[in-house]
C-alpha cells in the first residue's frame, strides 16, 4: 500500500484510459509487493494490467509493452487467470484480452445485461453515432 499513491499519480493516464475503455473505475493495487492497475468486473472477475511481467515499473513508458489479464476469483479466494494478452499499447492489450475471453468461451450469459465491455471498434462507432452533420434545432 505505501506506493499506491505514487503509482496512481505516475500512471494517471493509463488509469483514465483503462477506465474509459472498460467503462468502470480503475485503481492501482498492491498484489504481494507488486503493483498493477485493477478494474473490477461482475461475477468475481477483474482485470489486471501491468507494463512489465513483474508489475508496474517506475517508468510508465520504459518497457514498450502492456500485459493485461482477466482473472476469476473463486469462492475460496483463489485466482484463475482466464486470459492474458500482451501488446505495445494498453488499450490494444485490453481489447485483445477481451477478444480472447470471448473466443475461449469464458463469457457469462445472464438473464440481465450488466454492461458488457465494448471492444474498441464498438466504442468508436458509438461515439460516431452521436456526431452528425445535421444542425441541432
Amino acid at each position: 500500500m505505501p506506493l499506491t499513491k505514487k503509482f496512481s499519480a505516475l500512471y494517471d493516464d493509463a488509469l483514465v484510459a483503462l477506465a474509459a475503455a472498460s467503462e468502470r473505475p480503475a485503481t492501482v493495487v498492491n498484489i504481494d509487493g507488486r503493483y498493477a492497475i485493477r478494474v473490477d468486473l461482475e461475477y468475481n472477475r477483474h482485470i489486471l494490467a501491468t507494463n512489465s511481467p513483474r508489475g508496474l515499473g517506475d517508468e510508465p513508458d520504459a518497457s514498450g509493452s502492456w500485459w493485461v489479464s482477466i482473472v476469476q476469483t473463486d469462492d475460496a479466494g483463489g485466482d484463475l487467470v482466464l486470459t492474458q494478452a500482451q501488446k505495445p499499447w494498453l488499450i490494444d492489450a485490453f481489447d485483445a484480452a477481451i477478444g480472447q475471453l470471448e473466443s475461449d468461451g469464458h463469457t457469462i450469459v445472464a438473464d440481465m445485461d450488466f454492461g458488457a465491455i465494448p471492444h474498441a471498434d464498438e466504442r468508436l462507432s458509438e461515439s460516431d453515432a452521436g456526431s452528425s452533420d445535421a444542425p441541432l434545432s
Side-chain angles (χ1 to χ4, degrees), residues 38-39 41-48 69-83 101 106-108:
R38 179 178 170 138
V39 174
L41 305 173
E42 295 79 19
Y43 307 110
N44 293 331
R45 292 180 175 189
H46 59 273
I47 296 168
L48 293 176
S69 303
I70 301 177
V71 180
Q72 174 88 47
T73 303
D74 63 26
D75 292 336
D79 288 339
L80 170 67
V81 176
L82 299 175
T83 187
L101 182 78
H106 290 298
T107 55
I108 296 175

Side-chain angles (χ1 to χ4, degrees), residues 63-119:
S63 77
S65 286
W66 281 91
W67 287 259
V68 173
S69 303
I70 301 177
V71 180
Q72 174 88 47
T73 303
D74 63 26
D75 292 336
D79 288 339
L80 170 67
V81 176
L82 299 175
T83 187
Q84 284 183 296
Q86 178 187 358
K87 297 282 183 182
W89 298 99
L90 173 58
I91 301 308
D92 291 341
F94 168 76
D95 281 337
I98 294 297
Q100 189 65 41
L101 182 78
E102 293 170 353
S103 68
D104 287 349
H106 290 298
T107 55
I108 296 175
V109 179
D111 292 338
M112 180 178 276
D113 180 15
F114 288 105
I117 300 172
H119 289 280

Side-chain angles (χ1 to χ4, degrees), residues 3 64 122:
L3 298 176
E122 293 169 346

Side-chain angles (χ1 to χ4, degrees), residues 11-25:
Y11 285 91
D12 185 57
D13 290 344
L15 287 164
V16 170
L18 195 54
S22 66
E23 299 178 356
R24 291 156 175 82

